[in-house]
Amino acid sequence: MNKPFQFPTLSRRSFLRKTAYGLGAASIAGAGLPMMFGSSQTEQLGIALVGLGNYAKNHLLPGILEAPNCRLAGIVTGTPAKAEEWKAKHNLPDNCIYNYENFDEIANNPDIDVVYVVLPNSMHAEYTIRAAQAGKHIICEKPMSVSVKEAEAMIAAANTAGVTLSIGYRMHFEPHTQEVMRMTRDKTHGEIIFVNANFGFRAGNPNQWRLKKALAGGGAMMDVGIYCIQGTRYATGLEPIAVRGQEFKNDPVKFAEVDETISWQMEFPNGIAANCTTSYGYRIEELHIGAEKGWTNLSPAFSYGPIIGKTHKGPMNIAHTNHQALQMEAMARSIIEGTPHSATGEEGLRDMKIIEAIYKSIAKGGKRIKLG
Ligand code: NDP
């Protein structure tokens, strides 16, 4: 069994910066963001974003700015023009701006508490391990790595350094998803029978890193199939015992290096099963949970929202909240308070083991692969 992730008790070294926030932050936060500290002041963690691409700029940055207990404290970029732009826009001092060569000097920067790795997948392990060696807490985007071996090395590096490693599984903090988890825990609709999870989109630019195996590690499965694996696991509350996978290619030229479409089945204990599809060829997005006494459906289920949820009784009627702000606030709170959250490195490792098993099944013509 996987050992539960231990969050170390943290020194209050560098996140003692306080900021006034009150009505303003509460109204930004909206209904879903709780006032965590119950006062007009909060401690803020300094976050450094590594890789200033689409997700960092357009989604994580707004989340950091919205989360009352986070602030943008630094950037790591290989693009000098972005360094200039972010420096001016966010008033960053020169000593908080790094590139990939001098990244390790971040160890000497007490303003930076957390390094958030938002690079192409095959770079996650290296920068996570270097961040751990620099003594910084780490948030790493999904997929955690491109192999089980790398994921294990990342967890070991964080444990050795006594820092926390979190994975950017924003759905763990999203209210519809949390309601799905609650209904499963409480058996609201009786025992789960079957789960369908699908997530795909049309990957446009044929030159993007997502289609290069050396940078992406794999195709749709690594990128968005992982949401379906997550979805089946939190919808059932169980770990799969075996998988079978099948691969389909509509455009073998564009998808010469990585998978375009994969369907797979997951067996869980007690005869519970899941059928999933992920694709870079077409758009699909749904999590459907069939249970003895009814069903739950999220569609869309995994993208930035609004997530739309229904059960056999009607709409879920849960307000949309910025996923990245929820995630950042929860992860920062976990570090500040030394309390656990569920989107850990161990959680990422479990998904990497399942992904590797699905690829292995495909390589063996759809053979059933048991999971340990
Ligand atoms: P982008 O291509 O938009 O950005 C990646 C950035 O990484 C680049 O802008 C660049 O930043 C840096 N980089 C360094 N080396 C390379 C290289 N060789 N090739 C390309 N980029 C390089 O990707 P995304 O922002 O969409 O994705 C980044 C990560 O975030 C991925 O792991 C992805 O899976 C994850 N992600 C997670 C999402 C979620 O919902 N949790 C959603 C979207 C992405 P610079 O110029 O600053 O060096």
Side-chain angles (χ1 to χ4, degrees), residues 177-244:
T177 307
Q178 291 185 328
E179 175 62 0
V180 163
M181 294 176 185
R182 186 204 62 76
M183 287 193 286
T184 295
R185 271 196 311 272
D186 294 353
K187 298 191 192 298
T188 304
H189 302 149
E191 299 292 339
I192 309 285
I193 307 290
F194 202 91
V195 178
N196 288 89
N198 303 307
F199 195 11
F201 68 98
R202 210 165 154 69
N205 176 3
N207 301 316
Q208 61 184 302
W209 65 260
R210 282 182 165 77
L211 306 191
K212 313 258 183 266
K213 187 159 170 72
L215 283 167
M221 170 58 76
M222 285 270 181
D223 193 13
V224 288
I226 196 166
Y227 286 90
C228 303
I229 292 172
Q230 278 276 304
T232 60
R233 290 179 52 236
Y234 54 66
T236 59
L238 298 169
E239 296 300 328
I241 52 176
V243 295
R244 284 190 178 84

Side-chain angles (χ1 to χ4, degrees), residues 50-57 59-60 76-80 82 100 116-124 141-143 168-170 208-210 215 222-223 227 302-304 324 327:
V50 187
L52 307 180
N54 174 54
Y55 192 57
K57 180 176 179 180
H59 302 283
L60 289 173
V76 183
T77 177
T79 308
K82 289 186 194 171
Y100 302 116
Y116 198 143
V117 179
V118 207
L119 293 162
N121 307 340
S122 69
M123 300 172 75
H124 290 181
E141 257 318 314
K142 44 58 58 180
Y169 287 140
R170 62 188 156 74
Q208 61 184 302
W209 65 260
R210 282 182 165 77
L215 283 167
M222 285 270 181
D223 193 13
Y227 286 90
F302 309 115
S303 50
Y304 306 135
Q324 290 80 15
Q327 176 201 322

